Amino acid sequence: MEDDKISELIVNAFEARTRSYCPYSGYAVGAALLTGSGDIFRGCNVENSSYGATICAERCAALKAVSEGERVFKAIAIAGAPRDASEVRDYAYPCGVCRQFLSEFGGSDMMVIVAKSIDDRKIYKLGELLPEAFTSDSMK
Ligand code: THU
């Protein structure tokens, strides 16, 4: 993928992060998902007083995409840090549930970008973060 597209995804992830609703953890996450059609879907974490009902940023973006008819995920950029932090100090890796969820539509080749800034990022294939994934093939 071109560097410009990776940068665009990261910028979108940071913008999405500003919409995070995280009154309980105070940890704000943003994600930007690139789909097969070339569109970008943003998501943020949306918490709930019943903590387990919280939706992660990555699944928020994924649900927005699938509910708009997208079924192919190409790449996702993720940025997370305490809400009031002046800078993003650590890479925010997707949780296990989100890795599984992305795998459904992205497969092992999907690109996962974790970013502290536009220039400070790491890139993985989903298959590296979720080896030996359980898929529809597993049930055949
Ligand atoms: N969170 C995400 O949005 N994505 C992840 O992959 C891990 C965790 C959110 C959920 C919760 O609102 C906050 O981060 C702290 O767990």
Side-chain angles (χ1 to χ4, degrees), residues 25 27 29 45 47 54 56-58 93-95 98:
S25 74
Y27 184 77
V29 187
N45 54 331
E47 298 188 345
T54 291
C56 290
E58 299 89 325
Y93 287 87
C95 77
C98 286

Side-chain angles (χ1 to χ4, degrees), residues 46-72:
V46 183
E47 298 188 345
N48 192 273
S49 55
S50 178
Y51 294 0
T54 291
I55 305 288
C56 290
E58 299 89 325
R59 275 178 291 143
C60 176
L63 290 169
K64 286 172 69 179
V66 175
S67 62
E68 292 298 327
E70 305 282 342
R71 298 222 172 146
V72 177

Side-chain angles (χ1 to χ4, degrees), residues 67-131:
S67 62
E68 292 298 327
E70 305 282 342
R71 298 222 172 146
V72 177
F73 294 176
K74 295 282 189 207
I76 192 167
I78 306 161
R83 185 180 36 206
D84 300 323
S86 54
E87 59 179 14
V88 172
R89 289 200 179 174
D90 294 307
Y91 300 112
Y93 287 87
C95 77
V97 172
C98 286
R99 293 179 197 201
Q100 179 65 30
F101 203 89
L102 295 172
S103 154
E104 183 78 18
F105 302 101
S108 57
D109 284 339
M110 182 180 178
M111 181 185 281
V112 178
I113 304 152
V114 289
K116 295 186 196 177
S117 68
I118 293 181
D119 297 320
D120 187 346
R121 71 262 197 310
K122 286 187 175 184
I123 299 179
Y124 299 86
K125 282 190 171 190
L126 185 56
E128 295 177 80
L129 301 179
L130 188 69

Side-chain angles (χ1 to χ4, degrees), residues 3-70:
D3 224 54
D4 280 359
K5 186 52 84 176
I6 292 170
S7 299
E8 186 184 355
L9 283 174
I10 294 171
V11 167
N12 273 276
F14 274 91
E15 285 176 7
R17 184 173 167 269
T18 66
R19 303 269 169 87
S20 165
Y21 176 72
C22 56
Y24 304 106
S25 74
Y27 184 77
V29 187
L33 175 66
L34 177 69
T35 61
S37 68
D39 287 344
I40 294 173
F41 292 82
R42 297 176 179 184
C44 64
N45 54 331
V46 183
E47 298 188 345
N48 192 273
S49 55
S50 178
Y51 294 0
T54 291
I55 305 288
C56 290
E58 299 89 325
R59 275 178 291 143
C60 176
L63 290 169
K64 286 172 69 179
V66 175
S67 62
E68 292 298 327
E70 305 282 342

